[in-house]
Amino acid sequence: MLIDVVEDGASLGFLPPMQLEEARAYWTLVPHEHVKIWVAVQVDVIVETNQLYLSMGYQEAGRVPEFARSDDGSYHDTVLYFKTIE
């Protein structure tokens, strides 16, 4: 799924093309207990996603102007969300 969303243009700290080994390495670093999940959403690209994260219990932590870069080289504002999983 990580590879699919990166290939579809989502800015998750990776740019396409993303290799399977790179995705596996990312997931092996994610702890399994009491973890804070951080999500960054490009405001002007995926507006509906902001409401989705809020409805799932994520909280907005802040905004970073022109933080995410698309594969076409343009920059987008990003909203950071977090949620504590226990």
Side-chain angles (χ1 to χ4, degrees):
M1 184 170 79
L2 179 59
I3 293 172
D4 288 343
V5 296
V6 169
E7 295 298 323
D8 283 342
S11 179
L12 301 170
F14 304 100
L15 290 173
M18 182 177 199
Q19 302 300 316
L20 181 58
E21 298 79 25
E22 190 176 18
R24 282 188 179 143
Y26 170 79
W27 286 114
T28 59
L29 295 175
V30 176
H32 298 288
E33 295 180 17
H34 193 77
V35 62
K36 264 198 199 320
I37 297 177
W38 288 90
V39 178
V41 178
Q42 291 173 226
V43 177
D44 52 347
V45 175
I46 313 171
V47 176
E48 301 86 15
T49 306
N50 296 308
Q51 203 56 34
L52 173 66
Y53 283 113
L54 292 173
S55 73
M56 293 171 49
Y58 286 81
Q59 298 176 42
E60 185 175 327
R63 294 174 180 251
V64 182
E66 298 184 8
F67 177 77
R69 185 179 69 148
S70 296
D71 57 351
D72 69 0
S74 62
Y75 286 87
H76 307 274
D77 293 352
T78 299
V79 179
L80 301 173
Y81 296 96
F82 74 95
K83 179 178 184 179
T84 302
I85 307 296
E86 303 212 26

